[in-house]
Amino acid sequence: MLQTVFVEMRKTFLKTFLIVFSALFLVIFSMSAYVNYNMDKATQNKIKSNEQMLLNAERIILSARLSKITGDLIFIRESLLLNQESELGYDEIAQEWIAFSNSRQIYDQIRYLDADGNEVIRVNYTEDGAVLVAPENLQNKKDRYYFTETISLDENQIYISKLDLNIENNQIEQPIKPVLRISMPYYNNAHQLSGIVILNYLAEDMFSQIRSVS
């Protein structure tokens, strides 16, 4: 009789234990899942917030850089316009552009092209500083997309190219230089279309700033 009662008590205990254990397990599992879900959600929100901050910072960098470049382009145009009547001709302009290029150090080329696409003044920035390209090395760029796009603009409009590689004599320049071309039409003092002025901006300058922020 006692043995039967003991067996029944044991069965009841095991049954109760299993019920309680299962209930506790479900509660603990649910709490753990809830905590993990909220932690993952918080982590995701933090990542999204950081990415949005990074995008905003990059947008500010791009906007500030483009604003500075367009300001420099207008300065180049104005210097050409002011010295148009100078007795020294293009020599004085070239010297100003060389000094400007050495000061900025972010423009691979500064150029004035006439209405037929011929390079008239071209200053290259090199490892040894800015240099004026000799007349015999100047090229015609009338078929280049940036010339055809810019020459058709109104007087105060500005063209900004896609990110591109520099091409010299129909070949990609080595080492590779990613550049943005920022240009605008050049109208002389008589308000006649005389060509375009153009800056080849070294995009690595912008990339290095974005990398430092990232």
Side-chain angles (χ1 to χ4, degrees), residues 40-41 52 64 66 88-89 92 95 97 101 105 113 139 147 155 161 164-165 177 197:
D40 290 342
K41 194 171 183 180
Q52 188 61 51
L66 287 176
L88 297 176
E92 185 173 351
Q95 293 306 311
W97 289 8
S101 179
Q105 301 181 11
L113 282 66
Q139 304 170 47
F147 178 79
E155 185 170 355
S161 78
D164 200 358
L165 299 178
K177 291 180 183 178
V197 288

Side-chain angles (χ1 to χ4, degrees), residues 2-74:
L2 288 174
Q3 186 176 359
T4 302
V5 173
F6 178 76
V7 170
E8 290 298 326
M9 289 178 62
R10 184 179 179 185
K11 288 181 178 180
T12 302
F13 173 78
L14 290 173
K15 187 176 181 180
T16 304
F17 174 79
L18 288 173
I19 293 172
V20 172
F21 177 80
S22 298
L24 287 172
F25 175 80
L26 288 173
V27 170
I28 294 172
F29 177 81
S30 300
M31 291 178 63
S32 177
Y34 177 78
V35 170
N36 286 334
Y37 171 77
N38 281 278
M39 286 181 65
D40 290 342
K41 194 171 183 180
T43 302
Q44 291 174 6
N45 289 336
K46 185 175 182 180
I47 291 173
K48 288 180 181 178
S49 177
N50 288 341
E51 289 178 347
Q52 188 61 51
M53 288 175 63
L54 178 59
L55 287 174
N56 289 338
E58 291 174 350
R59 189 180 297 113
I60 291 170
I61 290 172
L62 291 173
S63 177
R65 259 311 181 229
L66 287 176
S67 178
K68 181 177 181 179
I69 294 166
T70 53
D72 286 348
L73 180 65
I74 293 171

Side-chain angles (χ1 to χ4, degrees), residues 122 137-139 141 167-172:
R122 173 173 159 184
N137 293 325
L138 298 176
Q139 304 170 47
K141 301 290 186 177
I167 295 177
E168 295 298 337
N169 298 312
N170 298 318
Q171 292 185 342
I172 295 176

Side-chain angles (χ1 to χ4, degrees), residues 114-158:
D114 67 19
D116 295 320
N118 298 305
E119 293 179 334
V120 180
I121 310 173
R122 173 173 159 184
V123 172
N124 287 357
Y125 187 75
T126 70
E127 293 181 355
D128 299 321
V131 295
L132 178 65
V133 175
E136 61 270 20
N137 293 325
L138 298 176
Q139 304 170 47
N140 182 278
K141 301 290 186 177
K142 68 177 181 180
D143 295 327
R144 296 290 285 141
Y145 70 89
Y146 55 81
F147 178 79
T148 57
E149 291 284 349
T150 307
I151 201 70
S152 62
L153 296 178
D154 292 333
E155 185 170 355
N156 291 310
Q157 289 184 309
I158 292 176

Side-chain angles (χ1 to χ4, degrees), residues 86-98 121 132:
S86 172
E87 294 180 358
L88 297 176
Y90 295 136
D91 290 340
E92 185 173 351
I93 299 170
Q95 293 306 311
E96 286 185 7
W97 289 8
I98 288 173
I121 310 173
L132 178 65

